[in-house]
Amino acid sequence: MSVDANTVRRVARLARIAVTDDDVAAMEGELNAILGFVEHLGE
């Protein structure tokens, strides 16, 4: 699973977190890394 900018914005909105465009790019990378780690744990 991969997280894109729209998903980051949606998650931030649901969590009621204000994010800037710069934050979106950083969070996208962080969330993808976290999901990759979780997938690795599942193996």
Side-chain angles (χ1 to χ4, degrees), residues 1 4 9 11-12 14-15 22 24 28 38-39:
M1 178 179 193
D4 61 2
R9 286 186 181 95
V11 170
L14 290 171
D22 293 335
V24 169
E28 185 177 345
V38 171
E39 286 178 3

Side-chain angles (χ1 to χ4, degrees), residues 6-24:
N6 289 330
T7 304
V8 171
R9 286 186 181 95
R10 183 161 191 247
V11 170
R13 184 177 51 83
L14 290 171
R16 298 174 195 254
I17 300 171
V19 293
T20 64
D21 289 337
D22 293 335
D23 293 336
V24 169

Side-chain angles (χ1 to χ4, degrees), residues 21-36:
D21 289 337
D22 293 335
D23 293 336
V24 169
M27 290 178 73
E28 185 177 345
E30 290 176 18
L31 289 174
N32 280 318
I34 291 168
L35 289 175

